[in-house]
Amino acid sequence: MSDRISLRGLKARGHHGVYDFERRDGQDFVVDVELELDLARAAVTDDVTDTVHYGELAGGLVEVIAGEPVNLIETLADRLATVCLADARVAAATVTVHKPQAPIPHEFADVSVTVRRAR
């Protein structure tokens, strides 16, 4: 599949992590997703119902980020990929979860996990 929809830098507050203070205090997570799907029909019809509505997708992703806490961002990324694949038109989804305030006792630019799930 050569067509793609990308949503980058989606930020939401969640309470994920292995430490009690992460779950108690929460922190911001930043998510990038890339959907692989056929966009030919949407290009011809110019109708949003013939594609993935990225505003609705963002809402579903934020619900997961702000929802039930998990220990690992690997688990969070997998749950977000499931949201992306809920639309049957999506052949595959790549999800990257960034944890910019990860409890690492050293200066760092980013920590992230990327998963790709396909039908």
Side-chain angles (χ1 to χ4, degrees):
M1 195 71 49
S2 61
D3 299 339
R4 299 193 184 333
I5 293 175
S6 297
L7 175 60
R8 304 227 183 274
L10 180 66
K11 186 188 294 187
R13 191 144 188 96
H15 293 266
H16 312 289
V18 297
Y19 298 112
D20 290 341
F21 67 87
E22 293 181 288
R23 289 183 173 241
R24 181 189 65 234
D25 302 338
Q27 60 192 290
D28 291 333
F29 292 85
V30 180
V31 172
D32 304 323
V33 300
E34 184 170 276
L35 310 181
E36 300 172 36
L37 69 162
D38 186 352
L39 297 173
R41 179 168 172 78
V44 170
T45 65
D46 195 31
D47 188 338
V48 71
T49 62
D50 289 328
T51 189
V52 173
H53 189 300
Y54 45 79
E56 293 174 1
L57 174 65
L61 297 171
V62 166
E63 283 182 22
V64 172
I65 297 166
E68 180 185 349
V70 297
N71 289 330
L72 303 177
I73 58 174
E74 290 85 343
T75 305
L76 181 59
D78 186 71
R79 289 183 178 182
L80 295 169
T82 298
V83 170
C84 294
L85 291 172
D87 188 310
R89 295 170 292 197
V90 177
T94 301
V95 176
T96 301
V97 176
H98 303 267
K99 190 174 180 180
Q101 292 114 18
I104 298 173
H106 306 283
E107 186 173 334
F108 68 98
D110 188 28
V111 63
S112 65
V113 166
T114 299
V115 300
R116 182 178 184 277
R117 300 290 183 262
R119 292 196 185 285

